[in-house]
Amino acid sequence: MSETIVISPTTRQEGHAELSMEVDEEGIVTTGRYFSITPVRGLEKMVVGKRPETAPILVQRICGVCPVTHTLASVEAIDDSLKIDIPKNAKYLREMCLNAHIINSHAIHQFLIAPDYVPEDQRDDVIRNVSEIRKHSQFVEDIVGGEGIHPSDIRIGGMAHNITKNAKNKVKTRIQGMMNLLKEHVEMMATFIEEKELPKHLGEHKQPVFASSNTYGSNTAYSMQDIEEILPESWYDTEKIGKRACTQIPLYRGEVVETGPRARAEKFRKFKERGTKAQNLARTEEMITAANRILELVDQLDTSASVMAKFEIKGTDHMGVGFIEGPRGTNIHTAKVSPEGYISDYRAIVPTTWNIPTMGLATEGFHHDYAPDVIRGYDPCLSCATHMIVRDDETKEVLKNEMIQL
């Protein structure tokens, strides 16, 4: 006789979620449903009717873990809507900031999974490494982006200003000085991950990967016309669960896809492994990729060059698209600017929404005790993924007991 097991709330992630599993007599998961129950804030709606420069400031607060990712996706979308071609040195700075953020975020993830993968007698060493790596990567975020938490120097049209020659040398020195520690840490974490005893094929699935770039993002890699967002009640076979979920589910060409570090590694770096261990291994190894990319970019940077395009904020309601490969995967923002110079439409399709159905699929066929390991492999960020219901402003009555596409 089947049984429903619910883990609510799940732990060690950004936001609140619930995992509901149908298990058979042996405790094997036959159906996995993982969904966000994080309260909605509606930041996408808040920016409509405001000046374009307001949007990056507001939407970078969608998530406290990946503000750099949202800031970049926002400015890329508005740049595209206004047909702004930013200077190449501004592109270098934006990509440097993102890759420093990726190192920082991946290190945080390793702190979170340390109780699962790192032997207790070596945990302090790993945590010290994480703290040191974060200190250096945060320094680069601060120098390049203005600050790491809410990067104020990433602007529509490019960057607020170029960095100085002295700052460029400091960035290079910091990353070069960190490389030996980073390589040692990655090798250590890779060993712990490989040695962890987990069921064979845990977290594996057959869905295609979705990644637009190896180290930044490309809005020409995929067609927006091929992306469809559906409501949870049309996906989950239990109406009650579908109504509780506060995320929409995006499909690419009608399929659930996997996005994130492992997807990038498979598509751009010939990474073949799949499953929970592979997710954590790809995320760990990507720290080296990001650090090397920063060193490449800092050598190309001309500190005397302009980093801000000349433009007018006068739109045509053309939908601009910004694809950014954040730590958790492909983050897509779209924006329209009206002829009067105000945001007329704004939407975000964030990494966790792509991965939520995949996490459910990845739990199937395994004992329910291992389901949290799948979740930690994917590193969900649920605060990014919430959408909206419709209420009457005066009575607060729910007018439409479902989410609306933003």
Side-chain angles (χ1 to χ4, degrees), residues 77-216:
I78 297 170
D79 286 343
D80 189 31
S81 181
L82 295 172
K83 300 297 184 183
I84 301 170
D85 186 14
I86 72 170
K88 67 179 181 180
N89 284 279
K91 295 178 183 178
Y92 297 157
L93 290 171
R94 286 183 180 182
E95 190 171 348
M96 285 167 60
C97 193
L98 177 64
N99 279 275
H101 172 61
I102 285 173
I103 297 170
N104 192 357
S105 182
H106 287 355
I108 293 172
H109 181 76
Q110 286 149 13
F111 173 80
L112 293 176
I113 67 169
D116 304 305
Y117 285 92
V118 181
E120 189 172 357
D121 61 345
Q122 299 184 67
R123 211 167 289 164
D124 286 348
D125 292 336
V126 166
I127 292 172
R128 275 193 293 270
N129 289 348
V130 164
S131 297
E132 188 70 13
I133 290 165
R134 289 196 62 214
K135 180 176 72 175
H136 293 303
S137 57
Q138 185 77 48
F139 174 83
V140 176
E141 291 183 69
D142 292 341
I143 290 292
V144 177
E147 54 183 303
I149 304 303
H150 297 124
S152 55
D153 290 350
I154 301 172
R155 305 281 180 87
I156 297 165
M159 299 290 290
H161 53 75
N162 205 336
I163 62 174
T164 65
K165 185 176 181 180
N166 185 43
K168 170 181 172 175
N169 291 336
K170 285 183 177 180
V171 167
K172 185 172 183 177
T173 300
R174 281 290 186 118
I175 298 299
Q176 286 179 329
M178 179 183 70
M179 285 301 288
N180 285 338
L181 171 64
L182 187 60
K183 290 176 180 177
E184 177 186 322
H185 173 74
V186 168
E187 183 177 349
M188 183 186 303
M189 285 301 302
T191 300
F192 294 147
I193 292 165
E194 293 285 5
E195 291 179 350
K196 175 70 175 181
E197 292 187 11
L198 291 174
K200 191 176 181 181
H201 307 303
L202 179 67
E204 290 187 17
H205 58 81
K206 297 180 181 179
Q207 306 307 124
V209 298
F210 189 85
S212 66
S213 166
N214 189 23
T215 57
Y216 188 68

Side-chain angles (χ1 to χ4, degrees), residues 142-395:
D142 292 341
I143 290 292
V144 177
E147 54 183 303
I149 304 303
H150 297 124
S152 55
D153 290 350
I154 301 172
R155 305 281 180 87
I156 297 165
M159 299 290 290
H161 53 75
N162 205 336
I163 62 174
T164 65
K165 185 176 181 180
N166 185 43
K168 170 181 172 175
N169 291 336
K170 285 183 177 180
V171 167
K172 185 172 183 177
T173 300
R174 281 290 186 118
I175 298 299
Q176 286 179 329
M178 179 183 70
M179 285 301 288
N180 285 338
L181 171 64
L182 187 60
K183 290 176 180 177
E184 177 186 322
H185 173 74
V186 168
E187 183 177 349
M188 183 186 303
M189 285 301 302
T191 300
F192 294 147
I193 292 165
E194 293 285 5
E195 291 179 350
K196 175 70 175 181
E197 292 187 11
L198 291 174
K200 191 176 181 181
H201 307 303
L202 179 67
E204 290 187 17
H205 58 81
K206 297 180 181 179
Q207 306 307 124
V209 298
F210 189 85
S212 66
S213 166
N214 189 23
T215 57
Y216 188 68
S218 170
N219 64 3
T220 61
Y222 295 99
S223 169
M224 290 298 295
Q225 302 301 317
D226 290 328
I227 297 174
E228 172 192 7
E229 287 191 273
I230 63 173
L231 294 171
E233 57 259 41
S234 64
W235 174 266
Y236 296 114
D237 54 10
T238 302
E239 184 180 1
K240 181 179 178 182
I241 287 176
K243 291 291 185 184
R244 286 196 65 203
C246 60
T247 54
Q248 288 184 302
I249 298 168
L251 306 177
Y252 188 73
R253 293 180 177 171
E255 290 193 89
V256 174
V257 295
E258 176 196 333
T259 188
R262 202 207 66 80
R264 288 191 289 268
E266 178 178 314
K267 186 170 181 179
F268 298 105
R269 301 194 291 276
K270 299 181 180 180
F271 189 87
K272 301 298 183 185
E273 291 83 359
R274 286 177 173 259
T276 301
K277 283 189 176 183
Q279 283 282 351
N280 286 308
L281 185 60
R283 182 177 288 109
T284 301
E285 292 177 350
E286 191 171 58
M287 299 168 78
I288 301 292
T289 302
N292 285 331
R293 184 57 178 158
I294 293 171
L295 292 176
E296 291 173 8
L297 292 164
V298 79
D299 281 340
Q300 296 176 50
L301 181 70
D302 179 356
T303 57
S304 63
S306 171
V307 292
M308 179 58 71
K310 293 181 180 180
F311 62 94
E312 292 184 20
I313 298 182
K314 187 176 181 181
T316 61
D317 278 325
H318 164 74
M319 187 180 78
V321 182
F323 275 69
I324 291 295
E325 289 296 323
R328 288 157 186 79
T330 311
N331 186 22
I332 305 172
H333 285 216
T334 67
K336 293 181 182 179
V337 181
S338 71
E340 295 76 27
Y342 295 90
I343 297 286
S344 59
D345 185 84
Y346 201 96
R347 310 182 187 213
I349 306 175
V350 302
T352 293
T353 58
W354 297 104
N355 283 332
I356 281 176
T358 311
M359 284 186 273
L361 293 169
T363 64
E364 294 174 11
F366 295 95
H367 196 278
H368 65 81
D369 288 342
Y370 290 102
D373 291 293
V374 174
I375 296 169
R376 287 190 285 274
Y378 281 85
D379 189 16
C381 187
L382 298 154
S383 295
C384 301
T386 56
H387 282 261
M388 301 181 72
I389 58 175
V390 182
R391 290 182 182 270
D392 184 284
D393 287 340
E394 294 182 0
T395 67

